[in-house]
Amino acid sequence: MRPPHIFLRRAKDYGLPIAMTFGVLLWEPLSRLEFCIPYLIFGMLFITFLKLKISQLQFNVWHIVLLSIQMIFAVGSYYLLLRSNPVLASGTMICFLAPCATASAVIIGMLGGSIAFSTPYVLLSHLVLAFTAPILFSTLGAADTTVDFWQTVWYIFKGVIPLVIFPLLAAQLLRYVTPGIHRKLANIPQAAFYLWIISLAIILAKTTKYAMLQPKENIHTEILLAMCGLLACAVQFIIGKLLGRKIMREPITMGQSLGQKNTTLAIWISLTYLNPLSSIAPASYIIWQNSLNSIQLWNAGRKADRSKQKNNQNNEAIG
């Protein structure tokens, strides 16, 4: 019989692709559980934040750099595609403009990145989007509808604050009030990851349901939008990793912060402000970013195995 840690490792390696497969194949029953997603995200962030101290959170200039990259690529891609296809232009723009995913800290933590860097960026990127998106869309002429400015700000805030601030405060409160319970919960292996794969299956089911409801006559444009989502995903992860490797020595943190997006919010913005069909691009982004996350977790697991094997061989040689 294999020891328990082997099964835990295998779950980490293959959990995301299995969850994605279940989400696509069982989309009808699983999509009915979408009301659970905020609670699952709250739980996984709470567990992740148990290992973080508020004193470690710091805003720095690289947050501004990442926001600038998002804005430049969002506006640039919009103007680049506008003449050929306005729908593709809008879909690609929102894939770049979307803020950092609220649950990005979970993957960053599992890959060995800096949660202290990513958490402030989640808050800052949502704050900037809340105030700039309505203005940007009206300036570019991309908006199809007129929505109250403060309505958008409130929608984004009410979706982000409970999911990021509340679990952070709850984790810190537990640290100081009941340190024993805090320590036990923080040491549960991969608890946040298990919550993540459950939520991912439901998110993929919701995405599949959304795609299935689209008119068949738009299939060609939908495929192009999905490819634009793939390109936007690849560009942001690559730029983030290159920037992190050369400047901060944090390729994982920078790559995930720039590349992992709050796609649910991006879809809502597309449906509210832009051509509704453009929401297919951020919907496809869910598949692309989580496929990449699966590969990264698998590679991280392989490296950990090789390192452990090498250490065992060295210990045997010394012995």
Side-chain angles (χ1 to χ4, degrees), residues 234-255:
V235 166
Q236 290 179 100
F237 271 101
I238 290 172
I239 290 177
K241 284 182 177 293
L242 288 175
L243 192 64
R245 185 175 291 113
K246 290 183 178 296
I247 298 174
M248 284 189 63
R249 300 187 183 276
E250 282 283 357
I252 292 171
T253 305
M254 297 283 276

Side-chain angles (χ1 to χ4, degrees), residues 28-46:
E28 194 166 6
L30 287 177
S31 62
R32 298 171 188 167
L33 300 175
E34 63 179 274
F35 68 91
C36 297
I37 293 175
Y39 302 102
L40 290 168
I41 293 177
F42 184 101
M44 72 177 87
L45 285 177
F46 170 72

Side-chain angles (χ1 to χ4, degrees), residues 20-246:
M20 293 171 67
T21 302
F22 271 92
V24 172
L25 296 179
L26 302 176
W27 65 269
E28 194 166 6
L30 287 177
S31 62
R32 298 171 188 167
L33 300 175
E34 63 179 274
F35 68 91
C36 297
I37 293 175
Y39 302 102
L40 290 168
I41 293 177
F42 184 101
M44 72 177 87
L45 285 177
F46 170 72
I47 293 169
T48 302
F49 290 154
L50 287 172
K51 301 177 181 179
L52 178 71
K53 294 181 180 180
I54 289 184
S55 59
Q56 295 175 308
L57 299 178
Q58 293 182 350
F59 290 97
N60 64 53
V61 68
W62 294 112
H63 292 134
I64 305 302
V65 171
L66 292 184
L67 284 171
S68 300
I69 291 173
Q70 284 186 226
M71 195 67 67
I72 290 170
F73 273 89
V75 175
S77 63
Y78 179 78
Y79 280 119
L80 184 65
L81 296 170
L82 183 59
R83 289 189 178 182
S84 59
N85 192 320
V87 177
L88 294 184
S90 297
T92 307
M93 174 177 63
I94 197 61
C95 286
F96 283 110
L97 194 62
C100 183
T102 52
S104 60
V106 178
I107 301 297
I108 289 173
M110 287 190 291
L111 292 172
S114 171
I115 302 172
F117 178 92
S118 64
T119 302
Y121 186 67
V122 169
L123 297 173
L124 185 61
S125 61
H126 281 84
L127 178 65
V128 170
L129 179 74
F131 287 97
T132 60
I135 299 172
L136 179 65
F137 294 154
S138 60
T139 302
L140 295 177
D144 274 5
T145 58
T146 302
V147 181
D148 181 71
F149 175 84
W150 291 109
Q151 178 185 341
T152 302
V153 173
W154 170 242
Y155 179 89
I156 294 175
F157 268 63
K158 77 176 183 179
V160 176
I161 298 301
L163 288 183
V164 179
I165 297 297
F166 290 173
L168 178 62
L169 294 178
Q172 301 310 307
L173 183 64
L174 196 67
R175 176 189 295 274
Y176 292 106
V177 175
T178 56
I181 296 176
H182 173 274
R183 189 164 49 253
K184 289 180 180 179
L185 290 177
N187 290 328
I188 297 176
Q190 299 186 27
F193 177 72
Y194 295 135
L195 292 176
W196 175 237
I197 60 176
I198 294 171
S199 66
L200 180 59
I202 299 173
I203 289 170
L204 260 294
K206 180 182 176 182
T207 304
T208 304
K209 176 184 177 181
Y210 178 76
M212 297 289 284
L213 295 176
Q214 298 302 312
K216 293 183 179 179
E217 59 266 22
N218 293 329
I219 186 65
H220 180 259
T221 304
E222 290 175 18
I223 292 173
L224 291 176
L225 283 165
M227 292 301 100
C228 288
L230 173 59
L231 180 61
C233 181
V235 166
Q236 290 179 100
F237 271 101
I238 290 172
I239 290 177
K241 284 182 177 293
L242 288 175
L243 192 64
R245 185 175 291 113
K246 290 183 178 296

